[in-house]
Amino acid sequence: YMELEVQEQVVFSDSYNLRHLVLNKKHTKEYIVMTLGEQGSKTYLGNTSEFIRIKSNILKTPVAEGVANTKKNSLDEFLHLMDQGLSIIVKSYPLPVFIIGNKSVVTQFENTTVNEKNIVHFIEINNTPIEVQDIAIELMPYEQEWQKVKQKYLLNQIEKARDENKLAKGIIEVWQKANQNKVKLLVLETKYNSPKSLNWHDSYCKIEYPGANAFYIKDEVDDIIDLVLESGGDVEYVDENMLTEYGNIVLVSC
C-alpha cells in the first residue's frame, strides 16, 4: 500500500511496476501567492478553487511619505522581513511561489530575495490594492499550463539541492543515496531506463544475502522508486532531455 492518490487506468503488460502508479498519480494545483505593495503584503495558500490567507502585514512608515530616502529604507526593511517570513512558509508548504505586485516593489523584492529557487514567477500588476479576484485572473494562464510551472519549480529545487550538496545525479549515485533512506525527492525523465551497458555482476543492483546466492533486481529504476516511497520521499517526472546534464535522474536528500 502506497499513499498515492492515482487516476484510474488499465495497463496491459507482462509485468507490473511502480512507475505505472507514479505516472498516473493525481496532481493538485497548489501554490503560494504573495502580494506586495508599498502599504503591505498578503500571503495566500492557493489552488484552482480558493485562496486561503495565511499571513498579512502592513508597512508602517515612521515618518511622512514625502521623505524619499526614509520611505525607501523603510520599504527595504519591510521587504526583507517579508522574505524572512516567506522562508518560514515554504518550509511548511513546499510549493511553487508566485509574487504579485507593482513593478517597482516586485523588482526590488526580486533583487533581494533569498527564496529565488522557490519562486516560479514574478508578476507585475497595476491594480492596487490587489484583491483575490485580481490574483485569480493573473494566475489563470499559469494554472492552464501547470505542467510547465511544476517542472520549472522542480528544476529550481534540483539547482538548490546541487548548491547545498544534497543532490545525487545519475543512476549509480541515486541508487546509493536511495539505500540510505534520507530521501526527499526523486526526479526522473518520463521514458528513462537504466543503461543496458552496465556490468550486472559488478553493479549497484546486485544484493548479497548471507548464506544465499546474489539477488539481481529486474528493474533497478522501479526499485529506487520503491525505496524512495517507502522512506517517505516523493517521486516526480519531467519531460525528456530536461535532466540531460544530471544523467537523466536525480535524487534530493534531506
Side-chain angles (χ1 to χ4, degrees):
Y1 176 78
M2 297 290 180
E3 292 189 24
L4 281 178
E5 188 176 0
V6 298
Q7 303 176 70
E8 184 176 335
Q9 184 176 27
V10 178
V11 178
F12 292 91
S13 178
D14 59 355
S15 64
Y16 175 80
N17 58 56
L18 287 175
R19 263 185 266 197
H20 292 145
L21 280 179
V22 178
L23 282 169
N24 290 286
K25 73 175 183 177
K26 290 184 178 180
H27 294 276
T28 57
K29 299 178 182 179
E30 289 186 304
Y31 43 82
I32 300 295
V33 184
M34 176 180 280
T35 64
L36 294 174
E38 295 186 352
Q39 302 302 318
S41 76
K42 294 178 181 178
T43 305
Y44 300 86
L45 177 62
N47 54 49
T48 53
S49 60
E50 63 179 342
F51 294 94
I52 302 172
R53 190 164 67 186
I54 55 179
K55 189 175 177 61
S56 182
N57 297 89
I58 298 175
L59 172 60
K60 297 180 180 179
T61 307
V63 297
E65 291 187 1
V67 183
N69 288 337
T70 303
K71 182 182 177 182
K72 181 181 183 304
N73 292 337
S74 181
L75 181 59
D76 286 342
E77 183 179 349
F78 178 74
L79 293 179
H80 177 66
L81 290 173
M82 294 307 95
D83 197 35
Q84 288 181 330
L86 182 59
S87 296
I88 297 172
I89 290 172
V90 295
K91 287 182 179 179
S92 299
Y93 302 96
L95 298 169
V97 178
F98 293 89
I99 303 296
I100 302 179
N102 64 60
K103 182 176 181 179
S104 61
V105 176
V106 167
T107 300
Q108 192 170 338
F109 186 81
E110 183 177 3
N111 291 334
T112 59
T113 181
V114 299
N115 288 291
E116 66 278 357
K117 297 303 184 184
N118 296 305
I119 300 170
V120 289
H121 287 287
F122 294 89
I123 302 172
E124 298 174 3
I125 185 173
N126 294 324
N127 295 12
T128 53
I130 302 172
E131 305 293 344
V132 170
Q133 56 266 30
D134 298 318
I135 299 174
I137 292 171
E138 292 296 327
L139 293 186
M140 189 177 299
Y142 299 101
E143 289 184 355
Q144 293 172 347
E145 296 288 340
W146 185 251
Q147 182 64 10
K148 292 182 180 179
V149 172
K150 186 65 178 290
Q151 290 189 147
K152 181 177 181 179
Y153 175 72
L154 289 172
L155 290 177
N156 284 350
Q157 295 306 300
I158 290 170
E159 291 178 4
K160 181 181 178 182
R162 180 192 60 192
D163 295 342
E164 296 175 350
N165 294 318
K166 294 182 178 181
L167 185 69
K169 55 185 179 179
I171 188 70
I172 295 178
E173 286 187 20
V174 168
W175 170 265
Q176 292 169 343
K177 283 292 183 181
N179 276 279
Q180 295 176 10
N181 295 323
K182 295 181 179 180
V183 182
K184 182 178 180 182
L185 174 66
L186 173 71
V187 185
L188 63 160
E189 296 176 359
T190 50
K191 296 183 180 180
Y192 175 74
N193 290 300
S194 62
K196 298 301 181 184
S197 59
L198 291 171
N199 183 341
W200 297 107
H201 292 286
D202 297 322
S203 74
Y204 46 88
C205 60
K206 178 182 177 182
I207 300 176
E208 299 283 359
Y209 287 97
N213 294 326
F215 172 68
Y216 294 89
I217 298 165
K218 181 180 179 181
D219 186 340
E220 64 279 8
V221 175
D222 199 59
D223 197 68
I224 289 172
I225 293 173
D226 187 19
L227 288 170
V228 170
L229 294 176
E230 287 287 351
S231 62
D234 194 12
V235 182
E236 294 286 355
Y237 278 92
V238 295
D239 294 339
E240 287 186 83
N241 302 318
M242 294 193 74
L243 299 176
T244 302
E245 64 178 300
Y246 299 106
N248 311 105
I249 182 171
V250 298
L251 185 144
V252 177
S253 57
C254 299

